[in-house]
Amino acid sequence: HAMDSKVGEVLLYYCYCEVKDPEKLCAWQKALCQHLHLTGKVRVASEGINGTVGGSKVATNLYIEVMLSQPLFKDVLCQEDFKSSAGGAHCFPDLRVGVFKEIVPMGIDPEIVSYKETGIHLSPQEFHREVEQYLSKASKGQSDTILLDCRNFYESKIGHFQGCLAPDIRKFSYFPSYVDENLELFKDKRVLMYCTGGIRCERGSAYLRSKAVCREVYQLRGGIHKYLEEFPDGFYRGKLFVFDERYSICSNEDIISACRYCATLWDQYKLCSSQHCRQLVLTCPSCRNKGLTACCPVCQEKELKVNSRASGQTLKEECECTRRRPRVPIEHVSQKTLDAGKD
């Protein structure tokens, strides 16, 4: 059956627009995806829609066609807004379509910080040039720019732009506090922001701009996804983390992260083997063969206990990784670097 063939694709898109009846849009969206045998996640809110769906090429093409002709999105969404990668329905366990307050969970009321206050969008070509200039100035110690990764630490760990500042945060909803705690860092700077597909920058840049400390805020239109289409071997090194069962997609052969246990170069995530832990762990095949499959000693211990005990007992998640990480890191940038940034 053509709709279910293994070689399909995964689409990623978002659209900010006024949705009068999110419940109705949600029901329509669910029926559409079911009809096309698409799996994945779609978030609907009064501020728009955000989705990542997988299926056969036939199905994803039809999906785009229908989305572009839907009156709600007709004037705001275009073909270019859909980022695609090789995959299919098998990349997601199921289909989830729901109504939320925000289409990307930053945890700030859209009424307070609106996507309408976003930064200046740069095309992949413009962004590439900006990064090039930034890197050449930074190497001479005279940059007034911060290249900011808006993603979570486990995403930037396996792939990022050279010379970027990648916050050690676990969730995008910690990003606003990260900005608040590190305002000094952004003072009078030009900020170049990027994320996976562009959506986190829409709200992130609006939040940063609302603080009125930066000189300018720019963001990469279409995110890393679109950048890699144009510059597979550009300034973005490593893999691109994706939120589905593939975990990452690859544009160049670089591996920039290491196995948690033996430090050999490795960038393929697996879920921590301890039942109640949701952390991802980088552990290479030879360490996995030795039974090193958890994200930390606490989880590894716990797993051994669980295996030797009657399976009736449930343990709550306690994990060194979560315990040791401050929710919001404070960047310690030396005064020298800050002075170097001044004209």
Side-chain angles (χ1 to χ4, degrees), residues 195-225:
C195 60
T196 308
I199 187 170
R200 283 180 271 186
C201 288
E202 300 283 6
R203 295 291 305 290
S205 65
Y207 187 81
L208 190 53
R209 287 190 64 210
S210 74
K211 299 285 149 182
V213 295
C214 303
R215 198 162 9 131
E216 288 150 334
V217 180
Y218 297 98
Q219 68 203 67
L220 172 57
R221 180 184 286 118
I224 300 160
H225 244 293

Side-chain angles (χ1 to χ4, degrees), residues 84-143:
S84 68
S85 53
H90 60 279
C91 295
F92 302 91
D94 52 17
L95 171 68
R96 289 177 196 182
V97 185
V99 175
F100 297 83
K101 197 172 174 66
E102 308 168 275
I103 59 172
V104 64
M106 188 167 81
I108 304 276
D109 192 319
E111 301 290 314
I112 298 171
V113 173
S114 161
Y115 66 90
K116 294 177 181 137
E117 307 300 318
T118 157
I120 299 159
H121 292 75
L122 299 177
S123 69
Q125 289 81 358
E126 293 168 321
F127 196 82
H128 185 76
R129 269 203 304 277
E130 281 288 346
V131 173
E132 193 164 30
Q133 283 174 338
Y134 156 72
L135 289 172
S136 83
K137 279 187 176 156
S139 68
K140 302 186 188 84
Q142 53 190 23
S143 177

Side-chain angles (χ1 to χ4, degrees), residues 116-188:
K116 294 177 181 137
E117 307 300 318
T118 157
I120 299 159
H121 292 75
L122 299 177
S123 69
Q125 289 81 358
E126 293 168 321
F127 196 82
H128 185 76
R129 269 203 304 277
E130 281 288 346
V131 173
E132 193 164 30
Q133 283 174 338
Y134 156 72
L135 289 172
S136 83
K137 279 187 176 156
S139 68
K140 302 186 188 84
Q142 53 190 23
S143 177
D144 56 352
T145 301
I146 291 177
L147 177 55
L148 181 63
D149 192 319
C150 295
R151 300 171 305 155
N152 307 325
F153 75 88
Y154 54 86
E155 297 175 78
S156 53
K157 193 179 190 166
I158 61 165
H160 54 244
F161 274 96
Q162 287 165 295
C164 74
L165 168 63
D168 191 16
I169 54 177
R170 201 162 63 92
K171 296 176 169 174
F172 185 53
S173 54
Y174 299 169
F175 181 77
S177 318
Y178 175 82
V179 169
D180 296 350
E181 300 284 330
N182 294 288
L183 266 186
E184 229 0 78
L185 188 68
F186 296 105
K187 217 168 149 20
D188 301 322

